[in-house]
Amino acid sequence: MGSINIPEALSIVEATVGDLASALSQGHTNSVELTAKHLLRIAKYDRRSTLLNSVPIINEDVFEAAQASDQRRASGKVLNPLDGIPCTIKDSYKIIGMTVASGSPAFKDLIANEDAFTVKKIKDAGAVILGRTNMPPMAAGGMQRGVYGRAESPYNAEYLTAAFASGSSNGSATATAASFGVFGMGEETISSGRSPASNNGLVAYTPSRGLISIRGNWPLFPTCDTVVPHTRTVEDMFALLDVIVAKDEKTTGDFWRGQPFVKLPDVNTVRPKTYYDFSDANSLAGKKIGIPKIYIGGVDSDPMARKVYTHQSVIDLWSNARKVLEGLGATVEEVDFPVVTKFETPDPDILEGSSIAPPHNNEIDMCRLMAYAWDDFLANNADAKVATSLAQVDSAIIFPQPPGSIPDKYDSNDPLVRHTDVMAHITGGRIPTYDIPSMGNALKNLEDKRKADFEDWLDDLGLDTVVWPCNGDVGKADADVNETSAAEAWRNGVLYSNGNCVIRQLGIPTVSVPMGLMADTKMPVNLTFASKAYDDGNLFRYVYAFEKASHLRQAPPRTPQLVTDTISLGDGKSKLGLVPPELTLDVTVVEAKDGKKLRILCGVKQDEVSMLSIFVDGDKLDDIKLVDSKREAESHVLGSWQGRPEEKGVPAPEKAMVIVVATGKNRRSTAKLVFFVKMHGQQKFLLNSFIMRVIAGFVALFALLLTCAATNNGLTDIVSWDPYSLTVNGSRVFVFSGEVPYQRMPVPEMWLVPKPPRRVWGHGLTLYPPSVYFFWSYHSPAKDVYDFETSGKNIQRLFDYAKEAGIWVIARSGPYCNAETNAGGLALWGSDGSMGNLRTSDARYYEAWLPWVTKVGEIIARNEITKGGPVVLNQIENELQETIHLASNTLVIYMEQLKAAFKAAGITVPSTHNEKGQRSQSWSTDYEDVGGAVNIYGLDSYPGGFSCTNPNSGFSVVRNYFQWFSNYSFTQPSYVPEFEAGYFTPWGSSFYDDCTAEHDPSFADVYYKNNIGQRITLQSLYMAWGGTNWGHSAAPVVYTSYDYSAPLRETREIRDKMYQTKLIGLFTRVSSDLLKTYMVGNGTGYATSSAAIWTREIRNPDTNAGFYIVQQSVSSSRTSETFSVKLNTSQGIITVLDVNLNGRQSKILVTDYNFGSNTLLYSTADILTYGIFDDNVDVLVLYLEENQIGQFALKSNITSQTSDGVGTVTYTQGAGKSIVSYNGVLIYLLEQKLAWKFWAPPTTNNPDVKPSEQIFVLGPYNVRNAYVSHGVVHVSGDNDKSTTIEVYTGNRGIQTIDWNGIRLDATKTPYGSVTAQIPGAEDRIISLPPLQNWRSADSLPEKLPSYDDSNWIVCNKTTTLSPTTPITIPVLFSSDYGYYTGAKIYRGYFDRKDFTSVSITCSGGLAFGWTAWLNGVLIGGDMGNATLTTTTAVLPLQLSSLQPTNNVLTVVVDYHGHDQTSTAKGVANPRGILGASLLSPSSSDLTTSSTGFNRWKIQGNAGGLANIDPVRGPMNEGGLYGERVGWHLPGFTPSSPQFGRSSPFIGLNKSGIEFYTTTFHLNIDSDLDVPLGIELSAPAGTEARVMVWVNGYQYAKYVPHIGPQTRFPFPPGVVNNRGLNTVALSLWAMTDDGATLDTVKLIQYGKYQTDFKFNQDWSYLQPGWDESRLAYA
């Protein structure tokens, strides 16, 4: 028997799935090693040297997936052959938590909310996703450069890696061909999957319709889009298809599987048990194959057939392929190709030889379908931070023309160039996709064309399959900039894959396989096999046989094998161990003679590691030394990146890629992936798994000291700043504030105490009101009319309250706010377009905002700290992005105008602005300051990424704030004007109470401490309390509640997140050493024994106090980690054992922390606060979670004495509290949840509270104030349950505690505090009356022809200032007639009786609806859609309802607010009817201005812009009849016969609007705070709209068929806790099924014993009805 030749090694280059799966299964390698090897190829060839740029987005968590695969393998639980196999995914597929830009700058920040179906299947199979591959914007093209540039050819740099006009999967194919991944996932609309596969010699599969779910992929042309897998062999394709071809029960976003018109076969009836069943090497024997003559240099017999260019070297490849086919027993026949020639029959006016791209020939408007599909994708993805509708997107940046590039040569009607039309399909109103007229017929016609022109043709010729060269030639790489190359690249046969648009339009399945390299260019070309729909299996049999007989694929020469590509196969199998080796990593920068190098320090256990490998940009570092028990290596000198400067990447391509792999003796490996970059002369270490440690700390310290002198704005030195912190009145301060919108609380008394802990949880700018938007819309009902005095608009009262409470204020007066408020806070009188170009230097806009800034600015100026008031900072504008740094830029001029206006108003405190996330660099004096810069730069951040339906989503902290501020605002303190404290949910989504992930107190614990660790000393939470969008104050993106999942609930109740936030706020209030720190170092495993821990060390250069912020390396982890930490103290390095972090927990460990006259040498327990008291006792408060071990040491004797005077305490935290007391030090050791009830009310009205100006209180639900007087400590607050109160004052003479006016005998504790038992409210009975005795009346008499509308405004305008062109004339935009808020009612008159239908387009904001009646009879409308702002419907006119003359069409249009500027033209987007035309078979003479209507009239809110109810303000009411005549107001008495005795429970039995009123009495005890609300529900299927008014305030918009809100709270002052209340309800039944409600009841949320006077006389806030209202009937 002869010997068997067993290979000694396997290269990953060109390795198959089977090769690698075998190597993994036999233990020759593991997935971590295999993943690292592929990443090294990406580092070497994609990011450096060859610069292929195919994988611009690296999966930073890639080694987690690889490690999970190895763990399964070690446990004997391998999933399938793909388990552990590295792959890549195109940028158009959703991968949860990663961006899904689809190559477009418009969506570079869009975060995927789920995995695409195929991605989920690949993950479930255990494959390892290395990253996302490159593509042009929106896949709309081929080799056009997108936000990440484009991929280049691994075969020949002079040629394109895909067809120029259709090759969007260029990154996928390049990466797979270059062995960056074993397979790639591309997709195709025209030929974008086949084309790059051909140019890279890959196998590509375009399936029959519906066989592979495309759910979760960005669409382009939905009728054509399909998934296209890329592999290097047919067998690899089989392995992949076995995983991704599966039934998907969901159809959202998958056009063909969701459409109802054409029945598709069940996937399981088409796919085989395994695709390997198609491995038939003899399948071509006896088969008849057609080859279209036009693709091999021949001429089709159709004289109208378009010429196809085919290069001779391609014809030569075909000739060889033909021999292979015939050698396998097939007959090959040259044929015409009618399916293409018929489809592409050119317009007679197009000259022969024209290079215009072939047509799409789809009866559906592809541009419209594309718009709808993009709009639906954004809505389903629900990333409100970027866009949930296409209408919110700047169309100019969806597919921008790259600078210097030649314009594309698509036909002018091609949807790929009609980008302005795309947006118009959305902003102009849309309907559901499948309701597009003639959609069903169009789809059926596509199916019929395939059968008649292709499948029947195959049968007629007796063909089993048809084949052709995939392309006739390959375009030049410079086709984007060279006209000659462009002309060649745009030839028919080159611009697309052969077959052009036909293949995907008709759903013809294909498989393409390599045919070899062109002799002259050395570029690959594929052979495409095609057959009948759902004959995919036979295609695989054929290509399998062809590949086995030919072996024509060749590896690309530009990416040859690396040394690291080799896998040693050894002599036998090896089983993986169960435990991977530990690995820590520390990277620093060192200066070398010729540049900068990286010094890499690795920690491993010597006895468990057999090999340690370190790589930088793919190069292995061989010189690894042993230094202090760790392995150390230095990189080569870092060179500069040589790629195109405009090309982006994640991480950026200029960053060096560092990979460290430790392989244990048990064959398990651990790897780390980090990135490093030099920018602006500073070292930057970024991303989840990198390390940063500045060893040369003195360098950073010296740099900071050079700039530590305080800076001011030249107007005042009372508020100044330096790179560390803000300074107020000469003292550094830590700003820990929160946003509270006064406009969302119309009761000024609640501004002082909405139930916040006021000043007791943070420093100075604490909770209410800290950071305050001022809303132009609320104060200015009409041009030149301003109200700053009436009730809730009296902002002087707000400032007075702040001063009284001892709270500083950050003023944010716009003029634009955003804030999810109506029009973003811009005055609604500008909604008629009169403001011009918003947020620019447009003179019209300047004239509009200047009076507002002048008036509000003067009030702010009177109240700034320089004049004894509370205002310390003034924000200018809001999230205005400076994308062009030129002095002539209109935004720069605008900002300069604003600065001048605020200065002229008298404001002298420093100015600020808030950057809209890390999307641009705006208005900083430290970065390209060409004008418009503010004094203190700020960066907004909303990093949570939470889902209301998936509690495990998100929770990935941002770790590059320090780097960002170091780059862009290095002379200023780090300021976050808006940091996530919750998030809004839109119409139709989940309600806030259900978003438990947003309520998690661990978010505050981890994220806010993470910010502290990055030297942020000004942080404002958005929102601290969100409030209610009462009236019509909401922007369309939100509904009535603006709870925001904020720390304080909408009902004014404290969430646990608020309690945890308070702990951090109290810590920052007293920790003055935090206010001047420098970054010492940070990273995974930094200063700890575990790579599972991420640490930042910051230190005060003056006191040497240190702060170690520790968190889990994977911040979302829910595992518990115990580790040791090395703390650098004044006594040297101290190692502390048994430090523990539970899942989603963070701690701030301190060293040399001074408190009072004592010093805490170190502590591994969190500091809550400390106080200095008159009894010469320093009181320190520490907290831990229960059962955690804490250790601290004082430089004084407590429990043990050492020679250096250090006392150490080690303890396990139990439930409740423990006390340590000795020699002038008292330490509270609190379990964290008990610490939540620890309060420190100040004894001063100075916002800068010192440690000696506090009283400590433990126990109550909430504490507002505390003071000592005559031996009594007075404490006021709120309490839910009876409990023990403990108070520490430092006054040993306290004998009595006064709680909310109740005198209680105090019990003294041994350590100096006093205690007593305080009452709660748990036993108090609250009796809420049922809502009954309703009176009801018709609130839509306007639908009847007999209604008198003689006093209504006639719609007679033929022009408008609106930027939106009216669909019909006269202009019907409501704002043009002075009606802004609430429902609008229109009456249109016409005479002719031959009209059969009416087309109406209305706009009212997301989820709005409208209804139309003809002569009192319902004809239809639109129920509303949570993703649509504008809707169109064609409604039939019933002949029986038509009159010969004087027909009346009544249209009621709901209103959900004016848009913010993130949506098209913002406030100027019109509301009401946008156009209305009557239609009939004989109405062809109708035009825009001749619509069939004789006249239109409009009615809106009573008085229009006259603001007849100034107390409730300009946004409370709309145009319903009952509102206009004041039925909702207190004091209105309903009377017969107009009012009947019906109720909402009876409702309406047909369409219409009914108004219901009743009253109820409350008698809530005066010492109780009982948040109240109303609950509504309706029977399933109800299509209706409901509003509720309480004492005249509209506090509920309920839309049962959209949701989500059903419970609506309202505050004291709106409701009378003791006395009479009026409630009114409108019920709008939108169909003739009518509508009823099955629940309308009062509810209570909680109950609290209090001293606040909620039962005061609120009558000044509740003006009543008078007869003047009847004038608006």
Side-chain angles (χ1 to χ4, degrees), residues 86-139:
C87 65
T88 62
I89 307 290
K90 188 177 178 179
D91 190 37
S92 54
Y93 288 70
K94 285 189 186 182
I95 304 177
I96 189 168
M98 294 185 74
T99 57
V100 57
S102 196
S104 172
F107 304 111
K108 64 183 177 63
D109 299 315
L110 189 73
I111 302 297
N113 65 345
E114 63 181 346
D115 286 328
F117 175 79
T118 49
V119 170
K120 181 68 164 55
K121 298 299 290 184
I122 287 168
K123 282 185 176 181
D124 289 347
V128 178
I129 298 174
L130 296 167
R132 303 179 70 88
T133 51
N134 219 333
M135 62 182 294
M138 307 312 293

Side-chain angles (χ1 to χ4, degrees), residues 810 812 873-881 895 911-926 933-941 961 964-965 968-970 972-979 1016 1018-1020:
I810 299 174
R812 307 212 295 168
L873 295 172
N874 181 53
Q875 179 175 305
I876 296 175
E877 245 286 340
N878 185 82
E879 293 185 343
L880 185 70
Q881 293 181 262
M895 285 292 286
S911 60
T912 71
H913 184 264
N914 54 331
E915 186 82 76
K916 188 177 182 180
Q918 296 181 15
R919 305 179 185 184
S920 52
Q921 300 81 38
S922 312
W923 320 120
S924 173
T925 56
D926 296 333
V934 296
N935 300 133
I936 299 177
Y937 171 89
L939 172 70
D940 289 353
S941 185
Y961 296 132
W964 184 271
F965 288 116
Y968 305 120
S969 59
F970 46 84
Q972 308 157 46
S974 298
Y975 174 32
V976 184
E978 293 181 23
F979 193 85
I1016 291 172
L1018 293 89
Q1019 172 177 271
S1020 183

Side-chain angles (χ1 to χ4, degrees), residues 1127-1170:
L1127 302 176
N1128 188 354
T1129 76
S1130 57
Q1131 303 294 324
I1133 301 292
I1134 296 176
T1135 300
V1136 184
L1137 305 177
D1138 297 325
V1139 181
N1140 175 255
L1141 284 182
N1142 288 322
R1144 301 193 174 189
Q1145 183 187 13
S1146 179
K1147 292 179 181 177
I1148 300 179
L1149 318 182
V1150 300
T1151 62
D1152 294 293
Y1153 181 90
N1154 297 307
F1155 66 103
S1157 59
N1158 291 273
T1159 300
L1160 192 61
L1161 183 66
Y1162 68 86
S1163 173
T1164 62
D1166 267 301
I1167 295 174
L1168 195 163
T1169 188
Y1170 74 88

Side-chain angles (χ1 to χ4, degrees), residues 933-980:
V934 296
N935 300 133
I936 299 177
Y937 171 89
L939 172 70
D940 289 353
S941 185
Y942 293 84
F946 296 126
S947 164
C948 292
T949 57
N950 180 6
N952 293 316
S953 67
F955 213 95
S956 296
V957 297
V958 174
R959 290 178 170 145
N960 74 333
Y961 296 132
F962 170 69
Q963 288 82 7
W964 184 271
F965 288 116
S966 296
N967 286 340
Y968 305 120
S969 59
F970 46 84
T971 68
Q972 308 157 46
S974 298
Y975 174 32
V976 184
E978 293 181 23
F979 193 85
E980 179 176 350

Side-chain angles (χ1 to χ4, degrees), residues 1332-1626:
Q1332 53 192 13
N1333 300 319
W1334 292 92
R1335 302 297 300 275
S1336 65
D1338 178 18
S1339 188
L1340 191 60
E1342 302 94 338
K1343 72 180 180 182
L1344 300 176
S1346 59
Y1347 174 80
D1348 180 6
D1349 62 13
S1350 58
N1351 291 327
W1352 283 28
I1353 292 177
V1354 177
C1355 300
N1356 56 7
K1357 295 187 177 183
T1358 58
T1359 62
T1360 178
L1361 297 175
S1362 172
T1364 299
T1365 302
I1367 297 174
T1368 57
I1369 298 297
V1371 177
L1372 299 177
F1373 303 165
S1374 63
S1375 293
D1376 282 44
Y1377 301 98
Y1379 294 122
Y1380 309 134
T1381 67
K1384 319 299 187 300
I1385 304 178
Y1386 292 83
R1387 284 165 61 87
Y1389 292 83
F1390 65 95
D1391 292 334
R1392 285 168 47 180
K1393 195 175 179 180
D1394 63 337
F1395 292 117
T1396 58
S1397 61
V1398 60
S1399 175
I1400 305 175
T1401 298
C1402 298
S1403 182
L1406 299 174
F1408 91 108
W1410 56 275
T1411 312
W1413 290 263
L1414 173 63
N1415 297 325
V1417 177
L1418 177 71
I1419 62 170
D1422 189 277
M1423 301 300 106
N1425 186 304
T1427 65
L1428 298 181
T1429 291
T1430 302
T1431 58
T1432 299
V1434 176
L1435 307 177
L1437 302 179
Q1438 299 175 19
L1439 184 61
S1440 60
S1441 300
L1442 285 169
Q1443 302 173 4
T1445 61
N1446 216 32
N1447 291 285
V1448 180
L1449 181 70
T1450 302
V1451 183
V1452 183
V1453 184
D1454 201 3
Y1455 174 81
H1456 282 180
H1458 274 82
D1459 293 314
Q1460 301 170 110
T1461 58
S1462 56
T1463 301
K1465 296 297 182 179
V1467 66
N1469 295 332
R1471 293 295 183 251
I1473 296 180
L1474 306 189
S1477 293
L1478 291 160
L1479 307 173
S1480 78
S1482 60
S1483 60
S1484 58
D1485 58 324
L1486 298 181
T1487 64
T1488 299
S1489 57
S1490 177
T1491 62
F1493 288 99
N1494 300 330
R1495 66 187 181 280
W1496 278 97
K1497 290 189 171 184
I1498 185 174
Q1499 182 63 275
N1501 61 298
L1505 49 75
N1507 195 28
I1508 64 173
D1509 185 356
V1511 172
R1512 298 181 181 91
M1515 294 185 285
N1516 186 55
E1517 295 181 12
L1520 298 185
Y1521 184 90
E1523 292 180 274
R1524 302 199 307 271
V1525 298
W1527 290 349
H1528 61 296
L1529 296 173
F1532 172 75
T1533 302
S1535 59
S1536 302
Q1538 188 173 28
F1539 277 81
R1541 294 284 181 181
S1542 186
S1543 77
F1545 307 112
I1546 298 173
L1548 294 89
N1549 59 11
K1550 62 179 181 179
S1551 63
I1553 303 175
E1554 192 79 0
F1555 221 84
Y1556 305 89
T1557 69
T1558 189
T1559 59
F1560 63 92
H1561 283 82
L1562 292 177
N1563 191 25
I1564 296 174
D1565 294 344
S1566 60
D1567 69 334
L1568 288 182
D1569 178 8
V1570 182
L1572 300 175
I1574 192 165
E1575 183 174 344
L1576 306 172
S1577 69
T1582 299
E1583 292 181 311
R1585 295 174 177 271
V1586 178
M1587 290 189 290
V1588 176
W1589 293 260
V1590 178
N1591 293 322
Y1593 290 84
Q1594 192 260 88
Y1595 250 79
K1597 280 188 180 181
Y1598 172 54
V1599 186
H1601 57 286
I1602 294 178
Q1605 190 171 5
T1606 60
R1607 294 160 65 94
F1608 302 84
F1610 38 77
V1614 168
V1615 68
N1616 300 308
N1617 284 13
R1618 295 173 74 87
L1620 181 66
N1621 295 276
T1622 297
V1623 63
L1625 183 150
S1626 65

Side-chain angles (χ1 to χ4, degrees), residues 61-382:
D61 300 323
V62 64
F63 284 120
E64 293 181 15
Q67 194 66 265
S69 175
D70 286 341
Q71 195 64 42
R72 288 191 296 271
R73 195 172 300 278
S75 304
K77 299 178 181 178
V78 177
L79 298 172
N80 68 24
L82 294 189
D83 202 344
I85 301 297
C87 65
T88 62
I89 307 290
K90 188 177 178 179
D91 190 37
S92 54
Y93 288 70
K94 285 189 186 182
I95 304 177
I96 189 168
M98 294 185 74
T99 57
V100 57
S102 196
S104 172
F107 304 111
K108 64 183 177 63
D109 299 315
L110 189 73
I111 302 297
N113 65 345
E114 63 181 346
D115 286 328
F117 175 79
T118 49
V119 170
K120 181 68 164 55
K121 298 299 290 184
I122 287 168
K123 282 185 176 181
D124 289 347
V128 178
I129 298 174
L130 296 167
R132 303 179 70 88
T133 51
N134 219 333
M135 62 182 294
M138 307 312 293
M143 292 304 296
Q144 296 88 343
R145 298 181 189 275
V147 67
Y148 308 118
R150 73 180 191 191
E152 304 296 340
S153 171
Y155 286 88
N156 188 334
E158 295 184 5
Y159 290 87
L160 295 168
T161 198
F164 193 88
S166 178
S168 66
S169 301
N170 59 73
S172 172
T174 300
T176 306
S179 295
F180 296 159
V182 182
F183 63 87
M185 292 300 294
E187 61 180 344
E188 176 170 302
T189 300
I190 299 174
S191 62
S192 290
R194 287 173 291 140
S195 157
S198 180
N199 287 22
N200 286 278
L202 300 176
V203 180
Y205 169 43
T206 63
S208 295
R209 302 201 203 276
L211 283 191
I212 305 180
S213 170
I214 199 169
R215 178 171 59 85
N217 289 46
W218 264 108
L220 182 59
F221 303 160
T223 59
C224 305
D225 298 336
T226 186
V227 166
V228 180
H230 286 153
T231 63
R232 293 190 290 267
T233 69
V234 174
E235 287 187 333
D236 281 1
M237 182 65 74
F238 291 165
L240 181 54
L241 295 181
D242 274 351
V243 169
I244 65 173
V245 180
K247 189 167 186 177
D248 182 4
E249 299 294 343
K250 300 178 182 178
T251 61
T252 304
D254 189 326
F255 179 86
W256 277 101
R257 291 192 309 109
Q259 54 79 32
F261 310 107
V262 176
K263 183 175 177 57
L264 303 183
D266 188 296
V267 168
N268 292 330
T269 66
V270 179
R271 68 151 287 164
K273 183 177 181 180
T274 173
Y275 277 82
Y276 287 99
D277 290 348
F278 297 136
S279 303
D280 183 356
N282 299 313
S283 60
L284 285 168
K287 302 302 180 186
K288 186 177 180 181
I289 300 174
I291 170 68
K293 292 177 284 188
I294 54 174
Y295 297 139
I296 54 173
V299 178
D300 195 280
S301 59
D302 184 345
M304 300 300 293
R306 291 172 178 259
K307 297 286 182 65
V308 178
Y309 175 77
T310 307
H311 194 55
Q312 183 58 49
S313 58
V314 174
I315 297 174
D316 293 342
L317 290 177
W318 158 246
S319 296
N320 180 63
R322 179 172 187 161
K323 293 176 183 177
V324 174
L325 294 170
E326 291 173 338
L328 290 168
T331 301
V332 179
E333 179 179 326
E334 296 184 11
V335 295
D336 289 337
F337 207 20
V339 70
V340 170
T341 55
K342 287 184 179 180
F343 192 89
E344 295 184 354
T345 299
D347 189 294
D349 294 333
I350 296 178
L351 298 177
E352 182 180 353
S354 171
S355 63
I356 294 175
H360 292 278
N361 283 347
N362 191 319
E363 297 170 28
I364 306 166
D365 183 344
M366 300 292 284
C367 185
R368 182 183 193 182
L369 193 56
M370 180 165 65
Y372 284 16
W374 288 354
D375 194 49
D376 290 340
F377 182 90
L378 290 170
N380 293 330
N381 193 59

